[in-house]
Amino acid sequence: MLTFVDTPARTASPSTLDTLVLLHAFPLNAHMWDEQRGFADRGWHVIAPHFSGFGGSDLASDTPSMDDYADAVIELLRDLRIERAVLGGLSMGGYASLTIMRRAPELVRGLILADTKSPADSLEAREQRHKLLTLVREEGAEAVAGTMLPNLLGKTTREHRSSVVEYVHGMIRETPPETIASAIYALLSRVDAADVLPQIAVPTLIIVGDEDTITPPSMSQSLEQAITNAELVTIEAAGHLSNLEQPQRFNEALAAFLDHRV
Ligand code: MLT
């Protein structure tokens, strides 16, 4: 079973329907959602799984697929007897969320897609993934952090929020190189999810940082156009990791969605 950061609802009679499952980005871990664990005070059971090998968990496979990542989350929900949850994912977590919408949509009653996109990797992106694979094998996680941090974090965060830069740097540095390599396989082998989008019927919140250069706002606009019941919120002064870079603004958008749309 996947290990997860568990924050049970802190209200008198929580319902199993009020479960919020949050899937993390690459190459971070479930603690990237720590600023969202406070939703437990509003009656939500917040579950943030670590994908295989992340956050100190066991690595299940050296070459997992995005389907494997999705199936592990589906299995976790079934093991925990959660019938329907609000599911959210940021970037790689969004790819896994879209894969869950393909494989087990009945488990989801609301969807959050943050700083993510539906297309598979282009040829050029796959070449970049192979370079990153070589880098992590030869030089380790620290070198990956050095390459990725300037893209993961927005200009505002990099210039004004050194504690966030250090926090993200630490999370990447602590990730075993073989875990990073395995996730690169899952990323580069994932299939295009465009066909899933018109089938999504549940309320959907799309969030993007206005300084996101990895999955820029235009990609979120495409998601909004393709999903029937979707609403797009752009977070000012945030890059790719919008929930970490501007937690207050992110949480306001999330609270409005959870209170009024699901
Ligand atoms: C992520 O944040 O999960 C990654 O940037 C996703 C990707 O590289 O496609």
Side-chain angles (χ1 to χ4, degrees):
M1 185 158 99
L2 282 184
T3 62
F4 56 100
V5 178
D6 192 20
T7 319
R10 289 188 278 259
T11 44
S13 41
S15 148
T16 53
L17 278 180
D18 290 342
T19 303
L20 177 61
V21 178
L22 296 172
L23 305 182
H24 67 83
F26 167 82
L28 308 181
N29 63 55
H31 287 291
M32 70 166 272
W33 295 111
D34 281 354
E35 293 278 3
Q36 281 69 48
R37 294 175 68 185
F39 277 87
D41 294 330
R42 303 171 73 104
W44 290 88
H45 179 186
V46 185
I47 293 177
H50 296 295
F51 288 116
S52 150
F54 289 93
S57 65
D58 290 341
L59 183 62
S61 160
D62 288 334
T63 53
S65 64
M66 199 53 67
D67 284 353
D68 293 335
Y69 277 12
D71 285 349
V73 176
I74 292 167
E75 191 184 306
L76 175 67
L77 293 183
R78 295 200 168 128
D79 286 349
L80 296 175
R81 299 188 193 290
I82 292 166
E83 287 174 16
R84 292 190 89 201
V86 174
L87 173 67
L90 191 143
S91 198
M92 180 176 77
Y95 309 157
S97 298
L98 289 174
T99 309
I100 292 168
M101 294 311 289
R102 183 198 297 287
R103 295 168 85 78
E106 70 282 358
L107 290 174
V108 181
R109 69 184 185 98
L111 181 64
I112 301 139
L113 297 172
D115 301 278
T116 194
K117 62 184 177 192
S118 62
D121 278 359
S122 63
L123 207 57
E124 192 191 337
R126 288 167 63 99
E127 280 168 13
Q128 291 304 320
R129 303 271 192 217
H130 283 288
K131 284 188 185 150
L132 199 61
L133 259 182
T134 306
L135 185 73
V136 73
R137 284 184 180 137
E138 290 179 355
E139 296 179 41
E142 182 63 47
V144 171
T147 303
M148 289 194 69
L149 272 177
N151 300 322
L152 283 173
L153 298 169
K155 186 168 179 293
T156 306
T157 303
R158 280 183 277 119
E159 289 177 0
H160 301 290
R161 304 202 57 208
S162 55
S163 59
V164 175
V165 179
E166 251 325 292
Y167 184 63
V168 175
H169 194 159
M171 245 189 285
I172 300 175
R173 190 193 291 126
E174 285 163 17
T175 305
E178 52 275 19
T179 293
I180 295 179
S182 71
I184 294 172
Y185 275 106
L187 287 165
L188 68 79
S189 62
R190 77 187 195 281
V191 298
D192 194 289
D195 60 312
V196 179
L197 306 181
Q199 295 166 24
I200 297 174
V202 293
T204 300
L205 173 65
I206 299 164
I207 300 186
V208 67
D210 66 351
E211 299 175 6
D212 185 347
T213 54
I214 296 183
T215 46
S218 60
M219 292 187 157
S220 287
Q221 285 155 13
S222 301
L223 287 173
E224 186 197 19
Q225 282 157 14
I227 300 175
T228 313
N229 195 359
E231 163 200 17
L232 170 61
V233 175
T234 303
I235 308 281
E236 272 177 45
H240 188 58
L241 302 179
S242 56
N243 74 308
L244 268 166
E245 296 182 54
Q246 291 294 342
Q248 194 178 328
R249 290 177 187 161
F250 187 99
N251 287 351
E252 279 166 14
L254 186 52
F257 177 70
L258 296 175
D259 287 352
H260 303 299
R261 296 203 50 226
V262 294

